[in-house]
Amino acid sequence: MAKTNQISTTATAESLGREYLRALQAKDKAAILAILAGDFELVVPCTLSGVNDNRSATWRGLTGENGADINLDKTFEKIEPICYPDLEFTSGANPDIAFAEGMGDMRMATNRHYRNIYVFRFDSEAGKLKRIREYVNPITWAISMGVQLPEVEPL
């Protein structure tokens, strides 16, 4: 039997994550939507309360291509430019999982500077991004977005 050198046409989570962040920085909505699964989910568990449960998250996420489409429009309006200058990517043992971490260096439409540390987890299935988890420092996020921090009782 002859041995064949087949090249997989299924993209890995790392290659999809790289393309997602490249297209996000370029504000290329068509390129982003092209790599998202139909049941795509973006989860940003940014909690200002200090409680790590999904109920207290500032933004729990969106699902599906329509949700992503609407979110991208809002993001592109609010942030100019979107820049992740030095991201470090790590592939999981499973090629359907990858991570990226690094600093985001952006400017809001209000002209407020926004620098925050980001950690992304990319999950793929059948060559498309199925889920992205985007982690940020919630205090830095709130200050940059002009969101009032909650008052808390000392322990």
Side-chain angles (χ1 to χ4, degrees), residues 44-48 79 81-87 100-108 112-120 134-145:
V44 185
C46 184
T47 63
L48 298 178
I79 306 172
I82 299 171
C83 185
Y84 302 100
D86 295 309
L87 288 174
E101 60 181 302
M103 186 64 69
D105 191 0
M106 305 167 209
R107 186 160 302 281
M108 307 307 295
R112 186 179 297 214
H113 191 217
Y114 174 51
R115 281 180 52 92
N116 206 342
I117 296 170
Y118 281 82
V119 176
F120 296 92
E134 180 181 327
Y135 297 91
V136 299
N137 178 327
I139 304 302
T140 304
W141 176 87
I143 291 168
S144 295
M145 300 297 169

